[in-house]
Amino acid sequence: MFRPMRRFRQQLTDEEAMRILKEGHLGVLSVQGDDGYPYGMPLDYVCDDRGRIYFHCAGEGHKMDAIRRDDKVSFCVMDQGTVDEGDFARRVNCVIVFGRIRMLEDREQIKQKAMELAMHIFPEQKAFYQKDLQTSGNRVQVLELTPEHITGKRVHEQ
């Protein structure tokens, strides 16, 4: 169902790919947008120990309409990369996740995952987010991406 990586020597191990997902906090979620156009947007995220990825978002808009039409998505994350001395090209590791996304329904789970996401990105702002979730927790939406295929790659563009 999913293609094997053409440049298989550059493929990351499953463990390396999962490490990049768990350490990262920003990626691009792509959905099937309006009129068949792909629609990608950068989103903060948190990845759990089972590889599920969670996003905080509004409950309506282009992204949500697309997800309601088709739950198949892809999600791409890159690390910060490095530049070797004497080289000008950056070496990066990237991970692409193919899977299905859904809106969480349970309000307590939504609040829990929203707080996990906040602590992953801004742990120093815990008090702010606790207060914010008390006042806006009933409007918060969280999406859960369940991976069907994860692949990682080392890239050295020249």
Side-chain angles (χ1 to χ4, degrees):
M1 181 159 128
F2 295 99
R3 294 179 182 202
M5 187 177 293
R6 189 175 58 83
R7 297 182 132 190
F8 61 89
R9 287 185 189 93
Q10 293 173 262
Q11 188 164 348
L12 300 177
T13 66
D14 292 346
E15 293 77 19
E16 289 172 308
M18 188 56 66
R19 179 188 55 76
I20 290 166
L21 283 175
K22 290 190 65 72
E23 290 176 1
H25 66 84
L26 182 65
V28 176
L29 179 69
S30 296
V31 298
Q32 183 68 33
D34 294 344
D35 298 322
Y37 283 97
Y39 179 58
M41 76 273 345
L43 291 174
D44 289 319
Y45 75 94
V46 64
C47 180
D48 72 12
D49 290 333
R50 294 186 283 177
R52 291 177 302 186
I53 300 168
Y54 296 90
F55 309 93
H56 164 271
C57 65
E60 55 188 62
H62 188 169
K63 170 179 65 259
M64 298 306 287
D65 291 344
I67 289 169
R68 286 182 184 100
R69 279 192 308 266
D70 189 347
D71 67 343
K72 292 179 183 176
V73 299
S74 70
F75 183 62
C76 180
V77 175
M78 294 187 321
D79 67 10
Q80 293 297 312
T82 60
V83 177
D84 294 337
E85 189 174 327
D87 198 354
F88 65 90
R90 184 170 296 277
R91 293 178 187 270
V92 297
N93 295 312
C94 67
V95 177
I96 298 179
V97 178
F98 294 94
R100 300 202 178 237
I101 198 164
R102 70 180 185 101
M103 293 173 267
L104 295 182
E105 303 288 335
D106 178 83
R107 295 303 326 162
E108 289 308 310
Q109 184 184 23
I110 289 170
K111 290 177 186 177
Q112 174 193 352
K113 292 302 178 184
M115 192 65 185
E116 286 176 21
L117 175 59
M119 293 302 88
H120 179 65
I121 300 167
F122 300 113
E124 67 279 1
Q125 297 293 330
K126 184 175 184 175
F128 170 81
Y129 284 110
Q130 286 174 326
K131 184 178 178 184
D132 187 53
L133 280 173
Q134 286 176 349
T135 59
S136 65
N138 291 331
R139 294 185 310 273
V140 171
Q141 181 59 60
V142 171
L143 301 173
E144 177 186 71
L145 169 54
T146 301
E148 294 182 340
H149 184 71
I150 300 174
T151 187
K153 181 178 180 182
R154 281 184 192 81
V155 180
H156 184 219
E157 297 298 337
Q158 292 186 8

